[in-house]
Amino acid sequence: MKKLAPWLFLVLVLSACGTAQTPPQFVTLRPVAPPLSCADFFPQGDWQYVHAIRFQLASGGGGSAIGVVVLSGQDIRCALTTIEGLTLFEGRVKGSGPVEILRALPPFDRQHFADNLLKDIRTLFIPPLGLVRQGQLADKARVCRYETANGATADIMETKDGCWRLQTYNPEPQHNRLVRAYSCEWTAQSGLMPSQLELIAPGRNGYTINLRLISAQRLTPNP
Amino acid sequence: MNVVRTLFLLLALTLITWSTVSAMPEQPRVQLQSVQANFFQEKHLPILAQPITSRGVFAFQAPRSLRWEYLYPVRTLLLVYNDSMKKLIEVDGKLVNDPGLATSSMQLVLEEITNWLAGRFSDNPAFAASFPDEHTIVLTPKDAGLAAIISRIDLHLQGKDGLIDTVLIHEGPDAFTRLVFSDAVLNRTLAESLFTAP
């Protein structure tokens, strides 16, 4: 078990080596036929999610935990606990401010870990900051393309099973992420809410995180 | 005490459940040979609108056999039998070995089990035990490092029989884990396979 602690999500602080990728060719659609709406891919309003998390390192090994994410606008609070209930990490970030560690046990008390954990949570639950265009890829898949000020691109697209997939393209390829969402349910309040999520950080030092939704609770009604 | 030891300590602490203790906890009324029970766990954190709930079952047979099984939300299984210990976790519908378990924690677990089931609440050097009333035992960490992880443990006894039905593990302000036990069966002979196979 001693081996687990340094592994458990510390992998998130590791840089995943990857080859540089560029976004695929994209044709702007206008107007866009419903039901595609870029906002639908992300939670609407404030939510508390609890997930069973399992991670695997590309280099081998892995572990499990319970993850809590509380979304309130652009603010995020999160916690990781063991299956048995021991709190490993609790932190929050307000908007684009610094990540604040509220409670953490070593080795999860490192700022670098907290920063990267919150980055991955943003990727999973918060629309990317930047200009968004709707379009179509060569394979006819409809896509929302977010282009950010730092030169990064994030494509989020519908999948044939009615869910979505997100791929980021960064000037620094180690920051690229692929997210696949499965078993989505759509409501006006929740958007397309997946019951399973998979986040992949590619490369030799990469990792895969699987999240299985345990509970989703709406915290405040939409105005 | 590191995180891992603490985690197993928490697990071991729950095993006192249903052991029968008297108002003088050092002298248990009944020698417990075995116990099986269900448990319900609530994890409370300040950020949670509702607690995270878990449930499972456990079995203990003296002197040192243990089965501790979470059934929800993640099925995990800890098996202790003689000198062997293994932890399994369900992945894609199958129970597989959880690589996160080191046998070095085993001694701590077994020591705690022995102490608690014998009603020796004061024997653990890591905690100071106090007895504010006949239904409550409060354990306070002596070591500052441990106190940063667990600030206090409350054990609640039920009725005149002194069965322990609730364990509250306090981590900090508004952060605690509550374990509630039910449907206990005491001193039944349990099959060996219960502690060796999923």
Side-chain angles (χ1 to χ4, degrees):
Chain A
M1 190 76 175
K2 264 185 177 176
K3 293 177 183 174
L4 175 63
W7 286 356
L8 188 57
F9 297 100
L10 190 59
V11 297
L12 296 178
V13 309
L14 300 174
S15 296
C17 298
T19 42
Q21 288 179 289
T22 54
Q25 290 295 317
F26 170 91
V27 178
T28 301
L29 288 177
R30 77 177 89 227
V32 179
L36 178 66
S37 162
C38 296
D40 287 341
F41 294 116
F42 298 96
Q44 313 291 308
D46 297 348
W47 287 86
Q48 172 187 293
Y49 297 109
V50 179
H51 289 91
I53 298 174
R54 180 155 183 86
F55 74 89
Q56 282 197 300
L57 304 181
S59 56
S64 301
I66 300 293
V68 180
V69 173
V70 178
L71 306 175
S72 180
Q74 287 289 316
D75 299 345
I76 301 171
R77 296 183 68 148
C78 67
L80 290 172
T81 78
T82 64
I83 304 296
E84 293 81 4
L86 186 68
T87 306
L88 301 171
F89 175 89
E90 186 180 352
R92 70 180 170 196
V93 60
K94 292 187 176 182
S96 56
V99 177
E100 183 183 358
I101 298 172
L102 301 174
R103 177 183 177 86
L105 302 180
F108 309 104
D109 54 349
R110 299 173 190 171
Q111 191 63 46
H112 193 51
F113 165 75
D115 292 344
N116 283 281
L117 176 64
L118 267 296
K119 274 185 189 173
D120 277 348
I121 289 174
R122 278 195 179 284
T123 300
L124 289 167
F125 298 108
I126 304 286
L129 290 173
L131 295 172
V132 60
R133 290 183 297 145
Q134 293 175 312
Q136 198 169 45
L137 303 180
D139 63 0
K140 307 297 183 188
R142 294 190 300 175
V143 62
C144 294
R145 174 161 292 178
Y146 294 81
E147 292 172 340
T148 63
N150 65 359
T153 300
D155 280 354
I156 183 163
M157 60 210 82
E158 293 176 301
T159 52
K160 290 177 181 174
D161 60 357
C163 225
W164 53 266
R165 180 164 62 92
L166 183 149
Q167 173 72 60
T168 67
Y169 304 90
N170 281 275
E172 300 171 77
Q174 69 269 23
H175 294 145
N176 286 341
R177 295 292 183 268
L178 169 64
V179 178
R180 294 192 184 101
Y182 301 99
S183 304
C184 289
E185 255 183 53
W186 187 90
T187 71
Q189 287 192 333
S190 67
L192 270 176
M193 182 183 294
S195 61
Q196 304 262 1
L197 284 163
E198 178 183 58
L199 182 146
I200 299 173
R204 184 162 47 92
N205 295 322
Y207 51 87
T208 299
I209 302 175
N210 294 100
L211 300 96
R212 177 172 60 81
L213 186 65
I214 295 172
S215 68
Q217 184 178 2
R218 185 75 188 275
L219 298 179
T220 54
N222 274 330
Chain B
M1 180 173 286
N2 64 29
V3 176
V4 176
R5 284 170 60 89
T6 304
L7 188 153
F8 279 93
L9 176 60
L10 297 185
L11 186 60
L13 287 173
T14 62
L15 296 175
I16 65 174
T17 308
W18 307 108
S19 67
T20 304
V21 296
S22 68
M24 294 288 290
E26 289 79 7
Q27 298 173 352
R29 288 178 186 163
V30 175
Q31 185 67 37
L32 192 72
Q33 293 302 315
S34 76
V35 56
Q36 284 180 290
N38 301 324
F39 66 85
F40 180 77
Q41 178 178 305
E42 285 182 350
K43 172 68 179 178
H44 294 254
L45 286 171
I47 69 169
L48 285 169
Q50 286 188 339
I52 303 169
T53 59
S54 311
R55 59 181 168 79
V57 295
F58 84 91
F60 173 83
Q61 171 111 32
R64 54 198 304 168
S65 298
L66 168 68
R67 179 188 180 99
W68 184 269
E69 184 172 12
Y70 285 93
L71 300 172
Y72 175 86
V74 179
R75 189 179 176 208
T76 63
L77 178 59
L78 176 70
L79 295 171
V80 180
Y81 184 72
N82 288 335
D83 291 329
S84 70
M85 172 188 278
K86 61 181 172 183
K87 188 177 178 188
L88 306 164
I89 186 165
E90 189 173 77
V91 177
D92 298 328
K94 294 180 180 176
L95 281 172
V96 299
N97 280 323
D98 186 337
L101 184 69
T103 53
S104 59
S105 301
M106 181 175 174
Q107 190 60 38
L108 176 73
V109 173
L110 296 178
E111 285 173 5
E112 295 300 327
I113 289 172
T114 304
N115 285 337
W116 290 107
L117 289 176
R120 294 192 295 265
F121 296 96
S122 303
D123 279 12
N124 188 329
F127 289 92
S130 61
F131 309 94
D133 59 61
E134 61 179 335
H135 295 295
T136 308
I137 300 166
V138 176
L139 302 169
T140 309
K142 295 177 183 174
D143 176 71
L146 178 57
I149 301 169
I150 302 171
S151 59
R152 196 180 80 225
I153 298 171
D154 297 345
L155 312 175
H156 293 281
L157 316 181
Q158 68 167 7
K160 61 182 180 181
D161 293 332
L163 294 176
I164 297 176
D165 66 352
T166 305
V167 178
L168 273 173
I169 303 162
H170 299 266
E171 294 182 80
D174 300 321
F176 60 92
T177 301
R178 184 200 314 271
L179 280 157
V180 181
F181 299 86
S182 61
D183 304 322
V185 178
L186 302 180
N187 294 332
R188 176 187 293 173
T189 301
L190 303 178
E192 178 183 309
S193 60
L194 195 60
F195 307 102
T196 58

